[in-house]
């Protein structure tokens, strides 16, 4: 195990939350949320969830549902599989070599599938530069664009409509990670040990993570997860790095048995509450019961299949999704057979 230096130059770390890092923050907050509320009733967590329910921000994130769809979603919350949209908003202007000509874009677009059995979940990342049909909404007249443009033009509602059209999967709820506490979260569990299957060189400092396991505090974990240019697969490598950190966080929470330690659990719930905005119709108590039996090893991760990461489009270089393979994944989510799909189509590092 290699232990990294725990100091990060102040100019590198200042303002990271406000400037970017949607993917990693949303992933960690979602992973933490699942871990915090899972088995939380036994650890006094349900009382704490009740206490923090009123502290999360609530806004309308999903478009109005037709009566039949609303009724189906109600049934799903009672006894069916659940599919939640998780977004992270971010300005791309601060990333070297990039600008945001339109405005704020969604750096995180993920489907969170909770199985009907309520004992496992899968977090499915949709690449932010996926070139898809974005329906008309807000100031957008409709047509092909990168999927993260939907947030810039029409906010969460247009993003939800775009995801639903792309996947064919109705949504049972939505959340936005606003990321005020990523460093606090990692530091609250006294750091994480991240095992990396390849070398990663930082573009923000002279730090380099060799293949192997590394101890990271909040600052180091955030710097690691921001890497895009010196990591295998570019943006897809960054997604993998973020998933590795989430796995490390969930493992640490379980190892330290924090769900059963009221003071530590209270701290984690406070961080989660400060970092999430939820749809006005999403009942956090229902979410607690939906994920309370999920364990760290039962959280799967996937990325929508693609054929090219350098598709030339009027919107710039984009990701071309693998239509056939993506359709199979989306069908597995709809049929609640995503575990079988992933077993037959393992994700490559």
């Amino acid at each position: 195990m290699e232990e990294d230096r725990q100091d990060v130059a102040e100019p590198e770390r200042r303002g990271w939350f406000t400037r970017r890092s949607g993917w990693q923050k949303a992933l960690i907050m979602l992973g933490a949320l699942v871990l915090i509320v899972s088995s939380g009733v036994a650890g006094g967590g349900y009382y704490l969830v009740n206490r923090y329910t009123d502290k999360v921000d609530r806004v309308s994130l999903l478009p109005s549902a037709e009566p039949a769809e609303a009724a189906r979603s109600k049934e799903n919350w009672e006894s069916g599989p659940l599919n939640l949209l998780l977004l992270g908003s971010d300005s791309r202007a601060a990333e070297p070599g990039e600008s945001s000509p339109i405005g704020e874009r969604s750096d995180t677009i993920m489907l969170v599938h909770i199985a009907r059995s309520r004992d496992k979940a899968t977090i499915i990342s949709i690449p932010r530069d996926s070139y898809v049909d974005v329906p008309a909404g807000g100031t957008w007249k409709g047509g092909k664009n990168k999927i993260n443009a939907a947030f810039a033009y029409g906010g969460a509602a247009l993003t939800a409509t775009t995801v639903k059209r792309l996947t064919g999967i109705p949504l049972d709820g939505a959340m936005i990670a606003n990321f005020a506490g990523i460093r606090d979260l990692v530091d609250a569990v006294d750091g994480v040990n991240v095992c990396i299957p390849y070398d990663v060189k930082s573009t923000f400092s002279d730090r380099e993570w060799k293949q192997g396991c590394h101890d990271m505090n909040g600052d180091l974990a955030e710097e690691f997860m921001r890497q895009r240019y010196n990591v295998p697969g570019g943006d897809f490598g960054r997604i993998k790095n973020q998933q590795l950190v989430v796995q490390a966080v969930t493992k640490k929470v379980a190892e330290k048995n924090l769900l059963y330690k009221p003071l530590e659990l209270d701290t984690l719930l406070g961080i989660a509450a400060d970092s999430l905005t939820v749809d006005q119709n999403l009942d956090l108590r229902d979410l607690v019961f939906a994920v309370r039996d999920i364990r760290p090893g039962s959280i799967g991760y996937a990325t929508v299949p693609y054929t090219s990461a350098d598709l030339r489009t009027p919107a710039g270089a984009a990701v071309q999704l693998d239509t056939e393979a993506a359709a199979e994944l989306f069908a597995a989510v709809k049929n609640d057979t995503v575990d079988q799909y992933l077993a037959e189509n393992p994700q490559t590092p």
Side-chain angles (χ1 to χ4, degrees), residues 135-177:
T139 60
W140 176 248
K141 296 181 179 179
K144 288 275 193 177
N145 207 328
K146 295 180 182 181
I147 194 168
N148 66 348
F151 195 91
Y153 286 114
L158 182 58
T159 305
T161 301
T162 303
V163 170
K164 182 180 176 182
R165 174 174 293 190
L166 171 67
T167 65
I169 300 170
L171 299 171
D172 301 297
M175 297 178 285
I176 294 179

Side-chain angles (χ1 to χ4, degrees), residues 54-326:
D54 295 332
K55 294 189 177 183
V56 300
D57 291 331
R58 287 187 173 276
V59 297
S60 179
L61 299 178
L62 295 177
S64 299
E66 297 293 333
E69 185 175 318
R72 175 208 52 77
S73 184
K74 182 178 180 181
E75 292 177 359
N76 284 348
W77 278 105
E78 293 174 352
S79 60
L82 294 167
N83 294 295
L84 309 177
L85 178 67
L86 179 62
L87 301 175
S89 61
D90 176 43
S91 171
R92 300 174 64 192
E95 185 164 342
E98 294 190 354
S99 61
S100 182
I102 299 173
E104 190 172 76
R105 297 194 173 213
S106 179
D107 197 37
T108 303
I109 302 173
M110 293 186 293
L111 279 173
V112 181
H113 177 75
I114 300 171
R116 184 192 305 272
S117 59
R118 297 294 197 264
D119 60 354
K120 53 184 176 291
T122 306
I123 300 174
I124 302 170
S125 301
I126 302 175
R128 64 180 186 176
D129 289 338
S130 300
Y131 199 57
V132 302
D133 285 316
V134 178
T139 60
W140 176 248
K141 296 181 179 179
K144 288 275 193 177
N145 207 328
K146 295 180 182 181
I147 194 168
N148 66 348
F151 195 91
Y153 286 114
L158 182 58
T159 305
T161 301
T162 303
V163 170
K164 182 180 176 182
R165 174 174 293 190
L166 171 67
T167 65
I169 300 170
L171 299 171
D172 301 297
M175 297 178 285
I176 294 179
N178 52 32
F179 318 144
I182 178 64
R183 286 196 299 266
D184 291 339
L185 179 65
V186 176
D187 289 336
V189 298
D190 295 327
V192 293
N193 183 250
V194 183
C195 295
I196 310 167
Y198 37 68
D199 295 346
V200 178
K201 183 174 176 57
S202 177
T203 56
F204 306 105
S205 70
D206 60 358
R207 185 171 287 108
E208 183 174 3
W209 294 273
K210 294 291 187 180
Q211 179 180 348
C213 297
H214 302 257
D215 287 331
M216 301 183 188
N217 64 6
D219 289 327
L220 289 171
E222 186 169 18
E223 182 179 357
F224 170 70
M225 291 184 293
R226 290 187 69 203
Q227 304 311 314
R228 178 182 184 185
Y229 298 105
N230 292 326
V231 60
D235 209 37
F236 294 94
R238 177 164 59 174
I239 293 173
K240 177 64 176 178
N241 290 349
Q242 293 148 4
Q243 293 172 350
L244 291 173
V245 173
V246 173
Q247 293 167 4
V249 171
T250 57
K251 180 181 179 182
K252 189 67 172 288
V253 171
E255 286 177 346
K256 296 188 69 174
N257 211 23
L258 297 183
L259 299 176
Y260 300 90
K261 298 179 179 179
L263 292 178
E264 288 87 344
L265 182 61
D266 185 54
T267 298
L268 293 177
L269 277 169
I271 295 170
D274 288 339
S275 304
L276 288 174
T277 296
V278 300
D279 183 68
Q280 60 186 4
N281 294 318
L282 178 60
D283 191 325
L284 290 183
R285 297 174 184 86
D286 288 342
L287 183 58
V288 168
F289 281 108
V291 302
R292 62 179 175 173
D293 293 324
I294 296 174
R295 299 297 181 267
S298 299
I299 303 175
Y301 303 89
T303 301
V304 177
Y306 67 100
T307 58
S308 173
D310 194 27
L311 177 68
R312 300 302 172 183
T313 77
V319 172
Q320 183 172 20
L321 298 180
D322 185 328
T323 304
E324 183 175 343

Side-chain angles (χ1 to χ4, degrees), residues 12-52:
E12 294 293 338
R13 71 180 183 178
R14 184 184 292 120
W16 275 8
F17 290 109
T18 58
R19 293 205 305 263
R20 60 166 298 94
S21 306
W23 279 106
Q24 65 267 29
K25 293 168 185 177
L27 277 166
I28 285 196
M29 293 319 302
L30 192 281
L33 178 65
V34 170
L35 255 289
I36 289 165
V37 299
S38 65
S39 298
V41 174
Y46 188 65
Y47 164 77
L48 292 174
V49 169
N50 276 336
R51 190 173 118 190
Y52 282 107

